Amino acid sequence: MPLYEHVYLARQDTSTQQVDELTAQLKGVIEGLGGSIKKSEYWGVKSLSYRLRKNRKAHFTLLDIDAPPPAINEIERLERLNEDVLRYLTIRVDAHEEGPSAMMRRAERDRDRDERRGERGERGERGERGERGDRPRDRDRRGRDDSEDSENAGRE
């Protein structure tokens, strides 16, 4: 049977549980038509590059599928009918990627980076001077009396 990678985006209003139920429903349809899901990954809620049906964020889910073409046609039909699904994309592949997908590896890398950054301290910490707003400015260094005297001197 052909191998597919299928990604769908669900509205941000839906809960994670509803997204999991939709994934389970799609899995049931695929298995009912003689296919199987090799891997299912929930990538979380991510920002979209542009608005889709008034949504700025969406739940992303990846499915690695081993199924006949009619099963793929059926899940795509169900996703077109479902109002919670914003977009979907199915790609035929020669072989499924072993281990976690690139998105999951990226999440692990970001998590590791945040842990390392915690050891060094937060980036916003400053030395003895404090925040940038603590530095006196040139106009603040001059006394008010000096500025008034110079203005009056020019008028006379």
Side-chain angles (χ1 to χ4, degrees):
M1 277 190 274
L3 304 174
Y4 299 94
E5 286 185 2
H6 179 80
V7 177
Y8 71 91
L9 285 73
R11 290 184 334 176
Q12 73 183 48
D13 301 348
T14 59
S15 67
T16 306
Q17 182 181 3
Q18 290 172 314
V19 174
D20 291 340
E21 290 172 4
L22 178 60
T23 301
Q25 178 188 2
L26 296 175
K27 183 178 180 179
V29 169
I30 289 170
E31 289 174 350
L33 294 172
S36 64
I37 293 186
K38 301 299 181 188
K39 178 173 62 174
S40 174
E41 287 183 355
Y42 174 69
W43 292 344
V45 178
K46 301 204 174 289
S47 296
L48 300 171
S49 297
Y50 54 90
R51 294 173 79 188
L52 293 175
R53 297 190 208 158
K54 300 182 182 179
N55 291 283
R56 295 187 183 275
K57 294 184 176 189
H59 294 271
F60 286 64
T61 305
L62 167 75
L63 303 172
D64 281 351
I65 302 171
D66 183 7
I72 301 301
N73 291 339
E74 181 61 18
I75 65 167
E76 288 180 349
R77 186 186 73 81
L78 291 173
E79 288 174 334
R80 276 193 299 272
L81 295 174
N82 192 331
E83 293 178 359
D84 291 335
V85 176
L86 298 173
R87 289 278 195 279
Y88 61 87
L89 177 68
T90 307
I91 299 174
R92 186 171 176 177
V93 294
D94 295 328
H96 287 133
E97 188 176 323
E98 293 297 322
S101 65
M103 291 294 284
M104 295 304 282
R105 287 192 305 262
R106 178 177 163 211
E108 291 171 9
R109 185 183 67 229
D110 292 345
R111 203 173 311 117
D112 292 343
R113 185 189 68 220
D114 291 342
E115 289 172 4
R116 286 192 310 268
R117 184 171 285 165
E119 293 171 4
R120 288 193 314 237
E122 292 299 318
R123 187 172 184 194
E125 292 179 9
R126 299 232 180 230
E128 294 175 13
R129 252 184 13 195
E131 297 295 320
R132 289 181 69 95
D134 293 347
R135 290 189 303 192
R137 297 184 180 163
D138 289 339
R139 67 172 179 246
D140 294 337
R141 288 183 190 151
R142 282 191 313 204
R144 287 189 165 271
D145 297 333
D146 295 340
S147 62
E148 291 173 3
D149 290 341
S150 62
E151 289 175 11
N152 292 334
R155 292 185 188 153
E156 295 176 0

